[in-house]
């Protein structure tokens, strides 16, 4: 299926690996020009080089890297110095650490809220009016299944991301945006095979004196699909949310999780 977004411009945050890279790759596969952001320049440039090497034949795709911390004012300024009129924005940054809520002070909360709530809101604010004026815009926020099914030790993520979810539910339904072809949706990953997931299971293995393979096997068995998702699968869903065909889909929380969430809705 042709998603009808070739030659559009996308900003993909947290794009050097994992889910962000999966989204960037899927968009590049659709002929979208991409600005990729991550803090570590080496991994970012290497990821961009891999995407350029595999870019769909014949399509004149541009891939630009911006090594920056997207959660800072300076980082966002560096991105918008490169380009302002994005058609597609995928917001993403590292998740907050897990732990015991008794150990989190105000600073820990401010950091989580800054990265996982205020940064996406700042990015949305910076682009939506331009998108509406041009008659097309797609924003996809990578959040977490923990928004819908909160996990005790991920309190910082549950809290900060719920704030973003509430904001998005309102702004996506703003008629001045929704009637002008601008959609805003959240993608809530369940368990996807990325470095982030590996580091969580590594910590769990060390804590419980088990092998990481044993911890991964138990986690996979909990998923009805009996496996973790791949960044490619995640990217394909993101690309569809950015498609012309998804123009009537806004303000939604889409949860790719292999059936892990047990509810009907
Ligand atoms: N994987 C899962 O199963 C899963 C499940 C639920 C939720 N999530 C959430 O989904 C998001 C992506 O997860 P992932 O598994 O893809 O993580 P990952 O494999 O650790 O990749 C994170 C990416 O984001 C970049 N990044 C992190 N902080 C950044 C910042 N401040 N500014 C710019 N780039 C930044 C990283 O590069 P640099 O470090 O070089 O900046 C990297 O490219 C996270 O928020 C995570 O909590 C993931």
């Amino acid at each position: 299926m042709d998603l009808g977004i070739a030659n559009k411009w996308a900003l993909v945050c947290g794009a050097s690996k994992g889910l962000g890279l999966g989204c960037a790759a899927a968009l590049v596969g659709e002929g979208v020009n991409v600005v990729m952001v991550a803090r570590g320049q080496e991994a970012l440039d290497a990821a961009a080089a891999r995407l350029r090497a595999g870019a769909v034949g014949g399509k004149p795709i541009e891939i630009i890297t911006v090594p920056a911390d997207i959660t800072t004012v300076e980082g966002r300024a560096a991105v918008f110095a490169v380009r302002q009129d994005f058609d597609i924005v995928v917001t993403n940054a590292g998740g907050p650490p897990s732990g015991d809520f008794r150990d989190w002070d105000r600073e820990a909360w401010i950091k989580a809220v800054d990265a996982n709530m205020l940064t996406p809101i700042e990015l949305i604010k910076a682009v939506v009016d331009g998108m509406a004026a041009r008659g097309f815009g797609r924003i996809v926020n990578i959040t977490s299944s923990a928004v819908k099914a909160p996990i005790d030790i991920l309190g910082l993520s549950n809290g900060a991301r719920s704030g973003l979810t509430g904001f998005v539910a309102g702004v996506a339904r703003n008629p001045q945006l929704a009637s002008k072809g601008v959609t805003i949706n959240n993608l809530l990953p369940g368990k996807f095979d990325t470095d982030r997931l590996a580091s969580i299971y590594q910590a769990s293995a060390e804590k419980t004196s088990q092998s990481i393979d044993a911890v991964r096997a138990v986690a996979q068995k909990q998923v009805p699909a009996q496996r973790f998702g791949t960044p490619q699968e995640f990217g394909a869903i993101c690309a569809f949310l950015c498609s012309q065909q998804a123009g009537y889909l806004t303000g939604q929380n889409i949860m790719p999780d292999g059936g892990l969430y047990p509810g009907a809705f």
Side-chain angles (χ1 to χ4, degrees):
M1 180 163 59
D2 179 356
L3 299 185
I5 49 178
N7 301 319
K8 301 268 187 212
W9 272 94
L11 165 63
V12 183
C13 306
S16 65
K17 58 183 180 171
L19 303 180
L21 178 56
C23 295
L27 290 169
V28 166
E30 291 300 321
V32 175
N33 303 297
V34 177
V35 174
M36 300 168 67
V37 185
R39 293 164 303 181
Q41 181 159 15
E42 206 177 314
L44 183 64
D45 286 344
R50 288 203 305 278
L51 291 190
R52 282 188 200 104
V56 182
K59 291 182 182 168
I61 297 167
E62 275 194 66
I63 298 173
I64 298 172
T65 56
V66 180
D69 182 340
I70 198 66
T71 68
T72 65
V73 173
E74 299 76 24
R76 292 189 290 275
V79 168
F80 290 117
V82 169
R83 184 170 196 102
Q84 281 145 34
D85 53 348
F86 291 103
D87 307 298
I88 293 166
V89 172
V90 180
T91 77
N92 178 32
S98 57
D100 186 322
F101 74 91
R102 296 170 189 84
D103 298 330
W104 298 327
D105 57 14
R106 182 176 165 74
E107 208 177 311
W109 273 107
I110 297 289
K111 208 169 163 201
V113 168
D114 227 354
N116 299 107
M117 177 183 170
L118 299 181
T119 292
I121 291 174
E122 288 291 345
L123 292 169
I124 291 168
K125 192 171 87 178
V127 298
V128 281
D129 290 331
M131 289 175 167
R134 294 188 299 277
F136 180 93
R138 299 284 184 267
I139 294 171
V140 177
N141 303 299
I142 300 180
T143 66
S144 173
S145 58
V147 172
K148 200 160 169 183
I151 301 162
D152 176 25
I153 57 167
L154 294 180
L156 288 171
S157 172
N158 304 337
R161 286 173 158 146
S162 293
L164 174 65
T165 305
F167 171 79
V168 166
V171 75
R173 292 170 173 83
N174 179 322
Q176 284 155 10
L177 300 175
S179 72
K180 302 290 183 201
V182 180
T183 71
I184 312 178
N185 292 291
N186 302 318
L187 253 182
L188 288 58
K191 295 177 194 292
F192 279 82
D193 215 352
T194 66
D195 285 2
R196 158 113 177 143
L197 199 68
S199 69
I200 290 171
Y201 292 141
Q202 178 68 44
S204 170
E206 281 164 17
K207 210 168 156 188
T208 57
S209 304
Q210 294 176 80
S211 72
I212 187 157
D213 285 347
V215 173
R216 282 173 62 93
V218 170
Q220 282 175 329
K221 275 223 156 2
Q222 291 165 350
V223 183
Q226 303 281 288
R227 65 175 179 86
F228 299 141
T230 68
Q232 290 78 9
E233 289 173 310
F234 190 86
I237 300 168
C238 175
F240 177 73
L241 290 177
C242 297
S243 70
Q244 295 286 355
Q245 289 89 336
Y248 204 53
L249 182 68
T250 195
Q252 300 303 308
N253 290 284
I254 313 288
M255 191 158 68
D257 71 346
L260 185 59
Y261 178 73
F265 302 101

